[in-house]
Amino acid sequence: MSHYHDPEDLKLLPELKKLAPEEFKGFVALDSITGREGGAIPRKYRELIAIGVAATTQCPYCLDVHTRNAKRAGATREEVAEAAFIAAALRAGAAVTHGTLALKLFDKA
């Protein structure tokens, strides 16, 4: 294994489908929401949202797929960069607000 996240791993998706066909079918249906055309949110913005979520969940495979899709949908490098920083800001915000929970729990301990 050359590194932990190897794009070759995605070749195992058919194996997952074979082992859990109903669950796989459900995942594919859910996953198709991002690339849906004709929604209230245009495709480019759906992909930029997906990049932000992938950055916070730290999914390199999602980043790979959604950055390519965002580019195809007309996103710019600047938009991708801003999506990453928006994700970082929200991730940091969640840590700060959870800090208030930590204070509350500390005071009750």
Side-chain angles (χ1 to χ4, degrees), residues 75-99:
T76 65
R77 292 181 87 220
E78 292 82 4
E79 288 171 323
V80 170
E82 286 185 19
F85 280 108
I86 290 167
L90 290 174
R91 184 86 173 203
V96 170
T97 58
H98 274 78

Side-chain angles (χ1 to χ4, degrees), residues 3 5 8 10-12 17 28-29 31 35 38 40 51 55-56 61 67 71 80 84-85 98 108:
H3 50 83
H5 296 292
E8 292 293 309
L10 298 180
K11 290 181 179 177
L12 293 171
K17 182 179 180 179
V28 169
D31 189 53
I51 289 169
T56 59
Y61 306 112
T67 52
K71 185 174 184 177
V80 170
F85 280 108
H98 274 78
K108 287 184 178 187

Side-chain angles (χ1 to χ4, degrees), residues 58-81:
Q58 299 176 328
C59 177
Y61 306 112
C62 299
L63 284 171
D64 183 25
V65 168
H66 294 294
T67 52
R68 273 188 278 117
N69 289 345
K71 185 174 184 177
R72 286 186 195 125
T76 65
R77 292 181 87 220
E78 292 82 4
E79 288 171 323
V80 170

